[in-house]
Amino acid sequence: MTRLLIRDVDLVDAQGKLQKAQCIAIDGTAIASVGEAEPADFVADETLDGTDLLAMPAYFNAHCHAAMTLERGWAEDLPFERWLNERVWVAESALQEEDVYWGAALAACEMIRAGTVGFADHYFWMDQVAQVVAESGMKALLAWCWFGKDTGPEAGGITLATTERFVERWRGAADGRIRTCLGPHSPYMCEPEALKRVVAAAERLGVGIHLHLSESREQVATSLKRYGRSPVAHLAALGVLGLPTLAAHCSVLSEDDVKILARQRVMVAHTPKTYLKLAMEMPPLQRLLDAKVRVALGTDGPASNADLNLLEVMRLTGLVQKSAQGKAEAMPIATLQRMASRNGAHALGFSSSGRLAVGAAADLVLLDTRGTHWVPRHDLAASAVYASHPGDVIHVMCDGRFLMRDRVLLTLDEERIRAEAERRAFRLVGSPMRRVRAYQP
Amino acid sequence: MTRLLIRDVDLVDAQGKLQKAQCIAIDGTAIASVGEAEPADFVADETLDGTDLLAMPAYFNAHCHAAMTLERGWAEDLPFERWLNERVWVAESALQEEDVYWGAALAACEMIRAGTVGFADHYFWMDQVAQVVAESGMKALLAWCWFGKDTGPEAGGITLATTERFVERWRGAADGRIRTCLGPHSPYMCEPEALKRVVAAAERLGVGIHLHLSESREQVATSLKRYGRSPVAHLAALGVLGLPTLAAHCSVLSEDDVKILARQRVMVAHTPKTYLKLAMEMPPLQRLLDAKVRVALGTDGPASNADLNLLEVMRLTGLVQKSAQGKAEAMPIATLQRMASRNGAHALGFSSSGRLAVGAAADLVLLDTRGTHWVPRHDLAASAVYASHPGDVIHVMCDGRFLMRDRVLLTLDEERIRAEAERRAFRLVGSPMRRVRAYQP
């Protein structure tokens, strides 16, 4: 294992405070020391000059559908239902297993270039995504999406059992960089009996779930009408939230819903670019934080929001909340950073990631602060949130291994992935329209 | 003058439509031809391969305070009044004339790197900004801010006459790249008598004005109380809006105000990142567009919004409007592009800029579309708005002259500007607190 010393680097510490000219020693997969002085007994195999660089804990994307990169830019400026029924589900009905590999590989390139080392993915043919994670050196929590009905081969052949076998096949794989869980789509797609089967299976396997929850007023109204309970209360009553739960969106919540999410220690994934671009409800983020609900940040799929850039998601989260709350002091920088790194890592189950501290996993992003948009460097943490872009990301490391160095991806063949993904994407959207299901909130 | 041919380039035409593999011929300062075929009779001095590049009309920043780059990151997460009274005005009270040169030069570097070739600046010691514009090869509409009271040397010595002389000194300078106008701060800072003096001076000089207008409910309430009219109606009644007017913000507007803005052909500068970050009112943009008010996009000063990136301003304008209107189809991509380029150019008075068409000024930005965040290239115009970042900007041209080529700035000494601006910025914020005025809406 390599012993690396990064010298003279500025960093944002676990308290969100900027520390200038620090040394970070990395021994194998973990951080061995952080401080002003070089560690006395540390013999480095290699030294990296951190002058003019800012080290941050790397970012974790808590909700995405990576292979939907293939649909980027194919469903613009459309109302939500047309976006879904006429575009997304049409392309997905033509999806073949190997497409998912190339779509996810494209996503991995893009995420690493924006400083993200881990992602929670929720999609189909997840062995393909797991393969990408293994090859890329990233970390992931992977769930095979199940719509609540076992289907025959003519409709994809996805059964709950398929998704359980996936959980077992890949859990702990790639030196522990891959974690798995079950992926029931949502309480509006899955009937109560289906959700009970998920709970039993998850308990048997000893894993959690990743699902979509309470995305719209229509979903809440339907749930109240059908079950007499909000989507959150409905899941709680079924025992679903007793599982370790990563719930994307949680956009429409009553006071009781917030209490349930806090009590059940549900991890919420907040994906503001999608809410804005598809004109969906904006979740009550401050109420969640005030109630001590743990919130991480995500991009959602690139069909809905165009990209996979957590730097921008942090920024949008801050901007939108300051505006929505009418308080320029709301959602301070350290909170945004923590949601994008530490909370994201926790949401994926990588509890030793997400901070620059002794013993933590060596998951780092190094940003070049020489760009004129960072100058004058009054507050590097602020610029990292409000002025940075992926072009500033110069090195990215996961478990002590460089995934990108000097802006070159080291684990993925970017040229080949770009060409193959684009070829397949053009095939998908050129396929005949074949509606597979209609959205019913 | 150089005759340049750009071959095999994709572009977004004046109708907002993507055209693949085009040739753009540039003769001196203007576009000589655009089309699939190379022009028959055009002998190029130089040819540029446009493969994998997207040509767009360059961007025009319709409202900024360029030298406020010096305060970037120095006033984070503060309520508006503390932001202004405890930070911005304190730093500005220590401002020296030459600081403005270096702050504006830093801004020019940043704007060019983000594809912006022109800006409407509203600040102090504007000869310094004009000097930067002349040297940088950019275009600008420059106004010396006047608070409505002539002050003696002990308070900066700014009189309306100072700002008039500036208008005359620089109008049409730098081969017509510099335009000038008067810069009364706002109807809440300037008394009616002061505004009447501005109207008389502007008419005498034959120029327009650039000012701040109707930024908050408090300003509207004060105006109604003091003058019996909204800020917009008050300016109209004083004859101010009879001048060619560039009005920043216009955030709080009655139906009558919108009609006045349309009738008086006021150009509105919309700066959404500031509205979000400082939790200010979001202007009723759709109502303005529906009433045929001309709207351009701006960044405002980097003290309020951290950067000078019109790519992001386009994106935020789209995202915020889709969300605010509850319509994912609102604010289509072509509208956003037009506001950032053509409308911006018109707002600054450069009516031949802002489109890729024969006879138009050769003001272009060329974006590298090979980044994985652009792939698959289903809709390059969409990616330019929703996934691009300044790291994608590879060449920038103004009046047929490269300001940046292969990501190298050709007209400005970026290294020296970065160092000098930072040194001065650190002096400013290290200066003793000296409150010069308190914000009174």
Side-chain angles (χ1 to χ4, degrees), chain B residues 77-122:
Chain B
D77 294 336
L78 292 174
F80 177 77
E81 297 198 6
R82 290 190 57 201
W83 170 85
L84 191 63
N85 291 329
E86 296 178 20
R87 297 290 176 122
V88 171
W89 278 344
V90 172
E92 288 189 349
S93 74
L95 202 68
Q96 296 169 3
E97 179 165 1
E98 206 186 330
D99 297 333
V100 173
Y101 175 87
W102 294 101
L106 183 66
C109 294
E110 186 186 351
M111 284 194 270
I112 295 169
R113 286 199 168 279
T116 295
V117 299
F119 61 107
D121 208 51
H122 191 280

Side-chain angles (χ1 to χ4, degrees), chain A residues 312-362:
Chain A
E312 182 176 68
V313 170
M314 275 197 289
R315 169 151 68 241
L316 287 173
T317 302
L319 293 175
V320 166
Q321 289 301 318
K322 287 173 186 296
S323 176
Q325 298 178 40
K327 286 165 68 172
E329 66 273 32
M331 218 46 66
I333 287 156
T335 301
L336 296 167
Q337 289 281 6
R338 193 172 56 244
M339 288 196 285
S341 54
R342 188 162 192 178
N343 289 10
H346 285 212
L348 273 61
F350 297 98
S351 56
S352 75
S353 296
R355 68 216 153 91
L356 299 185
V358 176

Side-chain angles (χ1 to χ4, degrees), chain A residues 262-289:
Chain A
R263 192 170 62 236
Q264 302 267 32
R265 299 186 62 70
V266 170
M267 182 60 85
V268 172
H270 182 75
T271 67
K273 194 167 178 185
T274 291
Y275 310 141
L276 293 166
K277 192 155 188 292
L278 289 178
M280 297 167 72
E281 294 286 334
M282 188 58 64
L285 185 55
Q286 191 63 54
R287 277 168 52 207
L288 288 168
L289 297 187

Side-chain angles (χ1 to χ4, degrees), chain A residues 77 312 315 322 370 418, chain B residues 77 312 315 322 418:
Chain A
D77 294 335
E312 182 176 68
R315 169 151 68 241
K322 287 173 186 296
R370 286 170 304 170
R418 182 191 295 131
Chain B
D77 294 336
E312 182 175 69
R315 172 152 66 242
K322 288 171 184 297
R418 182 192 295 128

Side-chain angles (χ1 to χ4, degrees), chain A residues 23 69 150 158 178 184 244 272 278 315 339 354:
Chain A
C23 278
T69 46
D150 291 342
I158 305 172
I178 296 180
L278 289 178
R315 169 151 68 241
M339 288 196 285

Side-chain angles (χ1 to χ4, degrees), chain B residues 407-441:
Chain B
R407 299 198 171 89
V408 177
L409 297 186
L410 300 180
T411 55
L412 296 165
D413 182 348
E414 196 172 21
E415 283 293 327
R416 184 171 173 220
I417 290 166
R418 182 192 295 128
E420 188 68 22
E422 189 157 80
R423 189 178 68 73
R424 288 167 178 272
F426 289 164
R427 188 205 81 233
L428 277 192
V429 307
S431 306
M433 297 278 269
R434 187 160 76 88
R435 182 163 301 141
V436 280
R437 66 185 76 85
Y439 172 70
Q440 281 285 2

Side-chain angles (χ1 to χ4, degrees), chain A residues 69-70 72-74 76-79 106 109-110 273 276-279 306-307 312 315-316 319 322-323 326-329 332-333 370 372-379 382 386-387 389-391 414 418 422 425-426 429, chain B residues 69-70 72-74 76-79 106 109-110 273 276-279 306-307 312 315-316 319 322-323 326-329 332-333 370 372-379 382 386-387 389-391 414 418 422 425-426 429:
Chain A
T69 46
L70 299 181
R72 186 201 319 273
W74 189 61
E76 295 297 321
D77 294 335
L78 292 174
L106 183 65
C109 294
E110 186 186 349
K273 194 167 178 185
L276 293 166
K277 192 155 188 292
L278 289 178
D307 60 6
E312 182 176 68
R315 169 151 68 241
L316 287 173
L319 293 175
K322 287 173 186 296
S323 176
K327 286 165 68 172
E329 66 273 32
I333 287 156
R370 286 170 304 170
T372 45
H373 54 295
W374 289 77
V375 177
R377 289 167 286 190
H378 289 310
D379 184 341
Y386 287 112
H389 59 69
E414 196 172 23
R418 182 191 295 131
E422 188 157 81
F426 290 163
V429 306
Chain B
T69 46
L70 299 181
R72 186 201 317 277
W74 189 60
E76 295 297 322
D77 294 336
L78 292 174
L106 183 66
C109 294
E110 186 186 351
K273 194 167 178 185
L276 293 166
K277 193 155 187 290
L278 288 179
D307 60 6
E312 182 175 69
R315 172 152 66 242
L316 287 173
L319 293 175
K322 288 171 184 297
S323 176
K327 287 166 67 174
E329 66 274 31
I333 287 156
R370 286 170 305 170
T372 46
H373 55 294
W374 288 76
V375 177
R377 288 165 287 189
H378 290 312
D379 185 341
Y386 287 112
H389 59 70
E414 196 172 21
R418 182 192 295 128
E422 189 157 80
F426 289 164
V429 307

Side-chain angles (χ1 to χ4, degrees), chain B residues 226-306:
Chain B
R226 198 178 295 166
Y227 308 118
R229 291 190 175 93
S230 71
V232 172
H234 172 60
L235 287 190
L238 288 171
V240 176
L241 300 184
L243 301 167
T245 302
L246 172 57
H249 313 316
C250 297
S251 304
V252 181
L253 299 173
S254 69
E255 291 303 322
D256 279 346
D257 290 338
V258 172
K259 282 181 199 152
I260 292 170
L261 294 174
R263 191 170 60 236
Q264 302 266 33
R265 300 185 61 70
V266 170
M267 183 60 86
V268 173
H270 181 74
T271 68
K273 194 167 178 185
T274 290
Y275 310 141
L276 293 166
K277 193 155 187 290
L278 288 179
M280 295 168 74
E281 294 287 332
M282 187 59 64
L285 184 55
Q286 191 63 55
R287 278 169 51 208
L288 288 169
L289 297 187
D290 290 347
K292 311 275 186 230
V293 175
R294 296 175 304 166
V295 179
L297 302 182
T299 58
D300 213 342
S304 54
N305 68 9

